Amino acid sequence: MTRFIAVVSGKGGVGKTTATVNIGQALTDLGHKTIVLDANLVTPNVGIHLGLMDPPATLNRFLRKEKSLKEITYLHESGLSFIPASPSYTEFQKTNLEKISEIFEHVDNLAEFVLVDAPSGLGYEVSQVLKNSDEVLVVVTPTLSSVIDALKTIELAKAHNNIVSAIVLNMSNKGRNELTSEKVEEILGQNIVANVRYHRKIRKALHQQAPLNYLYPRSRPGKEFRKVAVQLCLET
């Protein structure tokens, strides 16, 4: 049975898409059929992260019944399957957000894991994703504003009967001028599974539009993303 895991943050700019793509890649490398779904129809980035600036077939066009599921599902050279949303504002305006549940119905049983790159915030778009997911993976940075927003997101997820599968502390700087991992855990009431520090190879992978785990699997952040994948597999 497919596990739908929404990758959420509360606050934007915390590296949620980077985490989604790399955890998806790590799961793929572990031999688990995984699809990364970009459900952030407002500001989608999965396609851009994986080398598709303007994909011809997108989630938007699927929801309008212009493209089939097969047409909107892409395979990266790394072996990761993904479904992008359109970065076009015009395409966004033509997309009915209320129909997002249709994609969940169609990909069910097609993969072991579907990692859903959810919109940030606490609005309608996030609630629509959480209504269709089973679990959440929370990405947070070691700043008070990010942690407080993540706490509200966790409460929203639980209100939609999602369990918290993992907390990823992202963009940390060895505890300098930031909340400690212990303080983040105390505020959230959850244990941190991975601590991904700032690293130049993350920037290099973003520039090359490929998963860090694919280009630099032995890098320190790559190993942290793999920890999350292993944890998710243990919960299967």
Side-chain angles (χ1 to χ4, degrees):
M1 188 170 67
T2 298
R3 289 172 61 185
F4 289 95
I5 304 175
V7 184
V8 296
S9 62
K11 187 176 180 62
V14 301
K16 178 167 51 60
T17 302
T18 298
T20 305
V21 167
N22 283 291
I23 294 166
Q25 183 65 54
L27 285 167
T28 299
D29 292 341
L30 289 170
H32 298 278
K33 173 63 176 175
T34 304
I35 298 173
V36 168
L37 169 64
D38 196 341
N40 186 352
L41 296 172
V42 181
T43 52
N45 282 301
V46 168
I48 295 171
H49 274 58
L50 295 170
L52 284 179
M53 294 296 292
D54 188 20
T58 61
L59 174 59
N60 308 67
R61 300 191 69 183
F62 171 83
L63 296 178
R64 295 200 304 269
K65 303 187 185 306
E66 297 173 2
K67 295 290 182 180
S68 68
L69 179 62
K70 183 177 180 180
E71 288 175 300
I72 68 167
T73 305
Y74 295 80
L75 183 65
H76 191 265
E77 65 181 54
S78 64
L80 177 64
S81 295
F82 66 101
I83 297 174
S86 174
S88 164
Y89 180 66
T90 302
E91 283 289 299
F92 166 67
Q93 287 182 307
K94 294 191 293 183
T95 304
N96 185 351
L97 298 177
E98 293 180 359
K99 293 187 175 182
I100 192 73
S101 60
E102 292 181 14
I103 188 64
F104 288 82
E105 295 168 6
H106 280 77
V107 298
D108 195 12
N109 295 320
L110 293 183
E112 292 179 65
F113 294 94
V114 174
L115 293 189
V116 186
D117 190 15
S120 56
L122 301 167
Y124 174 79
E125 297 88 353
V126 182
S127 291
Q128 288 298 103
V129 170
L130 293 174
K131 285 178 184 177
N132 292 283
S133 55
D134 310 304
E135 312 165 41
V136 292
L137 192 160
V138 184
V139 181
V140 62
T141 59
T143 62
L144 190 56
S145 58
S146 175
V147 175
I148 294 302
D149 286 347
L151 182 60
K152 289 184 284 189
T153 303
I154 290 172
E155 293 172 354
L156 179 64
K158 289 181 178 178
H160 286 291
N161 299 313
N162 282 249
I163 64 171
V164 180
S165 293
I167 303 291
V168 176
L169 182 62
N170 201 27
M171 302 182 187
S172 63
N173 189 32
K174 300 180 181 179
R176 298 171 186 154
N177 303 308
E178 63 187 17
L179 297 177
T180 64
S181 56
E182 292 79 12
K183 188 63 177 178
V184 173
E185 290 179 331
E186 178 187 335
I187 295 172
L188 296 181
Q190 303 282 338
N191 292 327
I192 292 169
V193 173
N195 186 340
V196 184
R197 297 177 180 172
Y198 277 109
H199 200 286
R200 60 185 177 84
K201 286 186 177 177
I202 293 178
R203 291 179 62 89
K204 289 180 71 174
L206 287 172
H207 180 68
Q208 294 177 62
Q209 296 180 300
L212 170 83
N213 294 57
Y214 173 59
L215 297 175
Y216 310 107
R218 299 178 65 183
S219 64
R220 183 171 294 174
K223 291 177 180 178
E224 290 298 307
F225 288 127
R226 186 181 176 90
K227 278 185 187 178
V228 183
V230 169
Q231 176 69 26
L232 293 175
C233 294
L234 292 175
E235 295 170 357
T236 302

